[in-house]
Amino acid sequence: MKLYQFSSQQKLPISIDEAWKFLTDANNLKLLTPPELEMKVQYGTERGMYPGQLIEYSVKPLPYYRTNWVTHITQVKEREFFVDEQMYRSDMQRGIISIL
């Protein structure tokens, strides 16, 4: 199995509180997703982010084809970072979002 790593940093002209509020609201992912993918949040966003949280999304990458994936939030340190694992069929991706 091959492992890949991608790392990036971005400075935002907003406060840590504003960044945290935006990044930890899974519904905001729709704002960052191209509209033609028709992204929908299926469940899991009823309350704030917490370890153990499961969030299911669906997207339509091709006409007449919709697919789902699940995000599992494994770690959260308030106003510092969260770790999410993206589960799609047999693939898994792990993302770490940190607020510096």
Side-chain angles (χ1 to χ4, degrees):
M1 173 174 62
K2 290 186 177 183
L3 296 177
Y4 298 92
Q5 182 174 337
F6 173 77
S7 180
S8 178
Q9 289 186 4
Q10 187 169 2
K11 292 186 180 195
L12 303 174
I14 59 176
S15 71
I16 289 175
D17 288 332
E18 289 172 297
W20 184 257
K21 184 177 179 180
F22 182 84
L23 293 170
T24 58
D25 183 346
N27 291 300
N28 287 331
L29 191 53
K30 290 187 289 189
L31 300 173
L32 304 173
T33 302
E36 60 270 16
L37 293 179
E38 298 179 23
M39 181 183 182
K40 296 179 182 177
V41 178
Q42 302 296 329
Y43 69 82
T45 61
E46 296 79 26
R47 60 180 228 192
M49 185 175 283
Y50 59 92
Q53 182 178 17
L54 294 174
I55 306 164
E56 184 174 347
Y57 305 93
S58 72
V59 291
K60 192 173 180 183
L62 299 168
Y64 310 108
Y65 177 73
R66 181 168 287 282
T67 187
N68 295 348
W69 86 90
V70 175
T71 295
H72 179 210
I73 305 300
T74 59
Q75 299 176 50
V76 178
K77 187 166 183 186
E78 190 73 24
R79 297 181 68 231
E80 287 189 33
F81 72 90
F82 66 89
V83 178
D84 66 327
E85 295 178 350
Q86 307 292 318
M87 296 172 274
Y88 175 76
R89 297 188 186 185
S90 62
D91 296 334
M92 187 186 86
Q93 298 176 1
R94 177 177 286 165
I96 301 172
I97 306 293
S98 63
I99 309 293
L100 303 174

